[in-house]
Amino acid sequence: MPRKKRDIRRDLCHLGFEEEQGKSDHTVFRHPLVPFNIAVDGKDGADAKPYDESNLRRGRRMLEDVRRRQQP
Protein backbone atom coordinates (compact mmCIF):
# COMPACT_ATOMS: atom_id res chain seq x y z
CA MET A 1 0.00 0.00 0.00
CA PRO A 2 1.51 3.38 -0.98
CA ARG A 3 2.13 6.06 1.58
CA LYS A 4 -0.29 8.96 1.85
CA LYS A 5 0.21 12.60 0.90
CA ARG A 6 -0.01 13.48 4.61
CA ASP A 7 3.12 11.37 5.19
CA ILE A 8 5.04 13.28 2.51
CA ARG A 9 3.93 16.61 4.01
CA ARG A 10 4.87 15.46 7.54
CA ASP A 11 8.32 14.30 6.42
CA LEU A 12 9.02 17.61 4.67
CA CYS A 13 8.01 19.55 7.79
CA HIS A 14 10.28 17.34 9.93
CA LEU A 15 13.16 18.17 7.59
CA GLY A 16 12.59 21.88 8.25
CA PHE A 17 10.69 22.86 5.12
CA GLU A 18 8.15 25.62 5.61
CA GLU A 19 4.65 25.02 4.32
CA GLU A 20 2.78 27.59 2.20
CA GLN A 21 -0.61 27.34 0.57
CA GLY A 22 -0.36 27.25 -3.19
CA LYS A 23 -3.09 27.44 -5.79
CA SER A 24 -6.06 25.12 -5.36
CA ASP A 25 -5.07 22.01 -3.38
CA HIS A 26 -1.32 22.49 -3.84
CA THR A 27 1.00 23.01 -0.91
CA VAL A 28 4.45 24.48 -1.55
CA PHE A 29 7.38 23.64 0.72
CA ARG A 30 10.40 25.94 0.92
CA HIS A 31 13.68 25.64 2.78
CA PRO A 32 16.32 28.40 2.95
CA LEU A 33 19.18 25.94 2.25
CA VAL A 34 17.51 24.16 -0.69
CA PRO A 35 17.49 26.03 -4.03
CA PHE A 36 14.15 24.64 -5.22
CA ASN A 37 10.59 24.35 -3.93
CA ILE A 38 8.64 21.14 -3.55
CA ALA A 39 4.95 21.17 -4.43
CA VAL A 40 2.56 18.53 -3.11
CA ASP A 41 -0.92 18.41 -4.59
CA GLY A 42 -4.01 16.56 -3.48
CA LYS A 43 -5.77 15.87 -0.22
CA ASP A 44 -4.00 14.37 2.80
CA GLY A 45 -5.71 10.98 2.41
CA ALA A 46 -4.73 10.54 -1.24
CA ASP A 47 -2.03 8.05 -2.17
CA ALA A 48 1.40 9.59 -2.77
CA LYS A 49 2.61 9.36 -6.36
CA PRO A 50 6.10 8.14 -7.25
CA TYR A 51 7.12 11.73 -8.07
CA ASP A 52 6.12 12.82 -4.54
CA GLU A 53 8.50 10.24 -3.07
CA SER A 54 11.17 11.26 -5.58
CA ASN A 55 10.82 14.95 -4.68
CA LEU A 56 11.06 14.10 -0.97
CA ARG A 57 14.25 12.07 -1.53
CA ARG A 58 15.72 14.83 -3.69
CA GLY A 59 14.99 17.47 -1.03
CA ARG A 60 16.41 15.28 1.75
CA ARG A 61 19.56 14.53 -0.28
CA MET A 62 20.11 18.20 -1.14
CA LEU A 63 19.65 19.25 2.49
CA GLU A 64 22.09 16.59 3.71
CA ASP A 65 24.68 17.69 1.14
CA VAL A 66 24.40 21.34 2.14
CA ARG A 67 24.66 20.53 5.85
CA ARG A 68 27.64 18.22 5.25
CA ARG A 69 29.48 21.02 3.40
CA GLN A 70 28.81 23.48 6.23
CA GLN A 71 30.48 21.25 8.85
CA PRO A 72 34.09 22.15 9.64
Side-chain angles (χ1 to χ4, degrees):
M1 176 175 273
R3 293 179 355 132
K4 300 294 183 181
K5 298 275 186 168
R6 77 174 64 87
D7 299 328
I8 301 295
R9 288 184 174 101
R10 182 194 63 225
D11 291 349
L12 287 167
C13 287
H14 282 230
L15 288 172
F17 283 81
E18 294 180 8
E19 186 175 348
E20 282 185 24
Q21 182 61 41
K23 289 185 176 184
S24 183
D25 62 352
H26 287 70
T27 307
V28 178
F29 290 88
R30 303 176 196 281
H31 195 286
L33 299 177
V34 178
F36 56 88
N37 301 325
I38 298 175
V40 179
D41 65 329
K43 305 226 183 264
D44 281 346
D47 290 343
K49 303 290 184 189
Y51 60 80
D52 291 322
E53 295 286 353
S54 175
N55 288 339
L56 173 62
R57 283 192 302 272
R58 182 177 171 218
R60 179 180 290 137
R61 194 176 320 116
M62 178 69 73
L63 194 56
E64 289 171 356
D65 288 346
V66 169
R67 288 181 176 162
R68 192 175 310 121
R69 282 189 227 133
Q70 288 180 345
Q71 292 178 352

